[in-house]
Amino acid sequence: DHRAPLRRLTEEEGMLLTLTSHLGYWPLDWWIDLFGEAHCSSAVPGVAVVSREALYVDVPAKVDFNLGNGIRVRDVHLSWDGNDRLHVTIYWEAVGSVSDDYSVAVHLVSVDPPQGREHILDQADSTHPVENWYPTSRWSEGEVVRDDHVLDVPSGSSPVAVRIAMYQVDASGAFVNTEWLSLAIPE
């Protein structure tokens, strides 16, 4: 809570785990001042890690999908949480300097690629990665950011894929998507 000795904890540990809902209590610049340099990632859904050093740099590039915006999807893990929830863990990597902010799109689809809105069974879009909290323009080159999402599978539906992309909204209000990565639903 607000009474915790955050400066002492960060000096001793170099990182701090917190509920993502608590990240917004202080602006990102406050965290940067606290750590000297702050990197954010998901630890699990609903929990973030703020660290002085970039994390997850040793995650193998098993997927290695270039979005075409200076960011690639380094790896993705899909796992079931019961029969009706799919946990999606994305490891983004800034392959160069990223000067723009991108939003995240994670869609569960019944047809791949979807032909209409009715083919999107659930989605976990966010304004910024790490539950809206870590803008891509803040990432340093080579930084790997873990981003967790949960998709609810509607009863009686037949999902075939999870689609992942980033996007921006242009001046006219239209969505400008990166390339989409499509992954088959695990058994």
Side-chain angles (χ1 to χ4, degrees):
D1 69 20
H2 67 283
R3 296 168 298 194
L6 296 178
R7 188 159 309 276
R8 183 177 55 81
L9 290 171
T10 58
E11 288 170 0
E12 291 172 6
E13 302 297 327
M15 68 176 63
L16 187 73
L17 290 169
T18 185
L19 298 173
T20 53
S21 59
H22 293 170
L23 285 173
Y25 288 173
W26 301 279
L28 186 55
D29 288 335
W30 182 89
W31 291 96
I32 291 169
D33 180 57
L34 183 67
F35 281 93
E37 182 176 346
H39 302 274
C40 300
S41 282
S42 293
V44 295
V47 177
V49 57
V50 184
S51 174
R52 184 177 298 122
E53 313 244 341
L55 302 171
Y56 305 110
V57 293
D58 58 347
V59 171
K62 293 180 183 173
V63 173
D64 196 18
F65 184 84
N66 193 328
L67 296 172
N69 64 346
I71 299 171
R72 74 175 173 160
V73 177
R74 187 172 181 145
D75 198 10
V76 178
H77 297 261
L78 303 176
S79 60
W80 287 103
D81 179 7
N83 294 327
D84 60 350
R85 298 182 87 196
L86 190 61
H87 181 195
V88 181
T89 300
I90 306 165
Y91 292 91
W92 309 104
E93 181 180 8
V95 293
S97 176
V98 182
S99 58
D100 294 328
D101 287 324
Y102 288 88
S103 297
V104 174
V106 180
H107 294 179
L108 180 69
V109 297
S110 60
V111 175
D112 189 24
Q115 305 302 307
R117 178 74 188 117
E118 68 277 7
H119 297 138
I120 300 173
L121 301 172
D122 194 24
Q123 63 190 75
D125 290 13
S126 58
T127 304
H128 302 295
V130 189
E131 296 193 38
N132 297 314
W133 210 78
Y134 196 35
T136 55
S137 63
R138 296 280 190 149
W139 299 5
S140 47
E141 186 172 344
E143 183 171 0
V144 177
V145 175
R146 177 179 166 158
D147 196 15
D148 287 283
H149 301 271
V150 177
L151 296 167
D152 292 318
V153 179
S155 179
S157 68
S158 299
V160 297
V162 171
R163 293 174 47 88
I164 299 168
M166 286 188 162
Y167 65 92
Q168 293 178 309
V169 179
D170 70 13
S172 71
F175 291 101
V176 180
N177 297 322
T178 65
E179 295 294 322
W180 284 88
L181 170 63
S182 188
L183 301 160
I185 298 295
E187 293 295 320

